[in-house]
Amino acid sequence: MTKLTYTSIYIFCLLLLVSCESENSCDNICGAEQIQGLDCTCFPQNPPDCTNTCAAGEILTADCSCVVPDANEPCGGTCPDNFECQNQECVQVAGFAQTVAGRITEDQTWTPNTEYTLGGKVVVSNGVTLTIEPGTIVRGAEGEGTLASALIVEQGGILLAEGTADAPIIFTTVNDNIMPGQLVGTNLDETQRGQWGGLIVLGRAPISSRSGETGLIEGIPPDDTFGIYGGDDPTDNSGVIRYVSIRHAGALIGEGNEINGLTLGGVGSGTIIDHVEIVANLDDGIECFGGTVDITNAVVWAQGDDAYDIDQAYAGTISNYVYIAGVDSDHGLEIDGPEGDVNAEGSFTMINGTLKGLVSEYADFRSNARGTVMDSYFFNFPENADIELDNDVVSANYFSGVIKIVGNEFALPAGVALTDVSSDKADNGNDADYDAQFASENTTVAEGAQTKGADTTVFGWTMTALNGALDF
């Protein structure tokens, strides 16, 4: 909720106590986006695009109206519609509304006193910064195909979405009844998926795609030019994503082609992604197409496909991550490697994760996969779930140390051993040797007795925690 300090009852008291000779009797001059009170104090105008100037003795309210304070009314009667007087201050109880569509071509700031609806694809253009303040709710309109809504940060664009644990930034559907100041609505749960698109960030860090140094991101039709990603700058900066929750996304744009909750294409290490949640996405939770960005403190709950999907020689680190399967979830981890000759050595690390299965698989290492999964805790997976090496290249990468699965703990169903989890399905693989090495480099524990895994206490701000899914 946004407090409007300039409508405080204290201003009314000053009206009674302070006598100004005229509108121009103050010595100080307020800024262009400020309003001068009767005590000559400068107050921020809200919203900042009010163009009217109030007469002496009047107060500019949040809806740009000029009112005369009334001593017989709470807060002097200065609270506009959608606000109420609480503790002698006007407090927002319902927001302004704004629908955004198309390209953003100049810097903008989205504030928590306005509810924003993505009316289709909204693109943060090259050279433009979109700042989203803590507590802001962004809703995606319904639609599929070319009408799917999404926020897309194209190469060279900057997204500064810095929420806090008390006031996270929430991306959700227009069907969610969550209100400003709330962390969770009451009408949707983790089973409602695909009701809008998602968040897509595209940078200029190295990738390894079939088309070379750059590619066209999945989830965007090929005729949309803002879908290009990849390049030669590993330190590229696309902004900050901190304390951000993305819910009920993954709209279909074509047969078998959905948008991920958070899609990262060629995003560089200059970008900060810390404390991010994906709930009820129809496709993958988080998918990294190349790039070097690190991700810390991430939780994916009840996605429709894979929780964490690695592609095109992603070379960052994902740490303190959580996966909680839903009834339709597929893999906890789906790992693919380089697709082309460019940047073919890129290799990821996933460390300190907690992964809770249901009917899903642990992980699938496919097509040239490279990287490390370590010091993570897996539990509640079905007895037939496995960590699979899919082909000859992947099998060779494991035995040569290019793929490392080490230091992990598994709470297994009764009668299941670590050698039942490892599965080398390559035509020329060696399942017996894989079983032996896997069992020697990982351990079993009783459920709840783990010493590895994520620190789940940092996720108290999330819908996942507030709805009880982290109670383990």
Side-chain angles (χ1 to χ4, degrees):
M1 295 188 293
T2 302
K3 294 186 176 180
L4 306 177
T5 58
Y6 56 88
T7 59
S8 165
I9 191 63
Y10 300 113
I11 296 176
F12 176 67
C13 294
L14 289 168
L15 172 64
L16 301 177
L17 297 174
V18 178
S19 175
C20 294
E21 295 176 2
S22 70
E23 287 187 63
N24 301 316
S25 63
C26 297
D27 293 332
N28 58 320
I29 299 175
C30 294
E33 296 187 354
Q34 293 180 314
I35 299 299
Q36 195 161 54
L38 296 180
D39 64 345
C40 300
T41 301
C42 295
F43 299 93
Q45 64 179 25
N46 186 9
D49 56 353
C50 294
T51 57
N52 53 318
T53 301
C54 294
E58 293 182 327
I59 297 296
L60 185 69
T61 65
D63 59 353
C64 297
S65 299
C66 294
V67 299
V68 177
D70 183 347
N72 297 315
E73 296 291 333
C75 295
T78 61
C79 296
D81 292 342
N82 301 324
F83 289 76
E84 64 182 28
C85 185
Q86 299 178 7
N87 298 321
Q88 303 305 325
E89 291 184 336
C90 291
V91 176
Q92 184 178 358
V93 292
F96 300 101
Q98 180 178 339
T99 299
V100 186
R103 280 190 173 273
I104 298 175
T105 57
E106 58 184 21
D107 294 352
Q108 288 189 13
T109 298
W110 293 0
T111 58
N113 69 321
T114 299
E115 289 195 13
Y116 300 87
T117 298
L118 306 176
K121 295 178 181 65
V122 177
V123 181
V124 182
S125 299
N126 180 20
V128 172
T129 297
L130 172 61
T131 301
I132 305 179
E133 294 183 347
T136 301
I137 296 175
V138 181
R139 302 179 187 272
E142 291 185 287
E144 295 183 348
T146 58
L147 299 179
S149 60
L151 180 61
I152 303 164
V153 183
E154 75 171 353
Q155 288 184 316
I158 297 290
L159 173 64
L160 298 178
E162 297 190 68
T164 67
D166 294 327
I169 294 164
I170 297 172
F171 289 85
T172 187
T173 167
V174 292
N175 299 318
D176 193 340
N177 69 359
I178 187 173
M179 294 295 291
Q182 296 180 335
L183 297 179
V184 180
T186 59
N187 66 323
L188 300 179
D189 60 24
E190 75 279 7
T191 65
Q192 275 86 40
R193 302 189 297 268
Q195 299 195 14
W196 67 286
L199 175 59
I200 300 173
V201 184
L202 307 176
R204 296 192 174 105
I207 66 171
S208 179
S209 74
R210 294 181 181 89
S211 57
E213 289 188 354
T214 62
L216 183 65
I217 202 69
E218 74 172 30
I220 300 296
D223 55 345
D224 288 332
T225 58
F226 47 76
I228 296 172
Y229 68 102
D232 59 2
D233 183 3
T235 63
D236 189 42
N237 181 5
S238 296
V240 178
I241 298 173
R242 178 176 282 136
Y243 287 105
V244 170
S245 178
I246 302 168
R247 307 171 183 178
H248 313 295
L252 203 69
I253 66 162
E255 183 64 33
N257 189 6
E258 303 92 8
I259 301 175
N260 305 303
L262 176 59
T263 299
L264 304 170
V267 177
S269 62
T271 308
I272 296 173
I273 301 179
D274 177 34
H275 291 285
V276 62
E277 174 191 43
I278 315 296
V279 176
N281 200 76
L282 184 61
D283 194 30
D284 299 331
I286 299 174
E287 185 160 10
C288 302
F289 294 89
T292 55
V293 64
D294 294 333
I295 303 170
T296 56
N297 302 314
V299 57
V300 176
W301 178 28
Q303 83 291 345
D305 194 4
D306 308 308
Y308 298 88
D309 196 336
I310 305 298
D311 295 285
Q312 298 180 351
Y314 166 65
T317 296
I318 301 176
S319 60
N320 207 63
Y321 66 98
V322 171
Y323 158 53
I324 302 171
V327 294
D328 296 316
S329 298
D330 194 2
H331 295 86
L333 311 177
E334 184 174 271
I335 312 299
D336 291 271
E339 296 178 357
D341 297 330
V342 177
N343 189 40
E345 302 300 311
S347 180
F348 73 93
T349 298
M350 299 188 74
I351 185 170
N352 299 332
T354 292
L355 299 92
K356 180 182 180 181
L358 188 59
V359 295
S360 58
E361 299 281 356
Y362 291 99
D364 194 0
F365 287 79
R366 318 186 314 173
S367 61
N368 305 319
R370 312 167 59 89
T372 298
V373 178
M374 63 184 296
D375 295 343
S376 296
Y377 170 55
F378 299 78
F379 74 107
N380 205 58
F381 285 81
E383 62 182 22
N384 61 344
D386 62 15
I387 296 180
E388 183 176 317
L389 308 180
D390 254 9
N391 60 43
D392 288 344
V393 173
V394 172
S395 179
N397 282 351
Y398 178 81
F399 290 112
S400 67
V402 174
I403 294 173
K404 296 182 176 68
I405 308 170
V406 297
N408 302 292
E409 295 179 338
F410 293 80
L412 299 174
V416 176
L418 280 175
T419 52
D420 298 316
V421 173
S422 50
S423 178
D424 188 344
K425 296 187 177 180
D427 291 340
N428 297 301
N430 189 323
D431 196 44
D433 284 354
Y434 179 33
D435 288 348
Q437 183 172 335
F438 183 86
S440 70
E441 294 178 336
N442 302 278
T443 59
T444 60
V445 295
E447 186 172 324
Q450 73 274 12
T451 62
K452 305 290 181 72
D455 175 9
T456 59
T457 64
V458 303
F459 298 113
W461 63 275
T462 63
M463 176 179 174
T464 308
L466 293 169
N467 282 19
L470 279 175
D471 293 344
F472 50 74

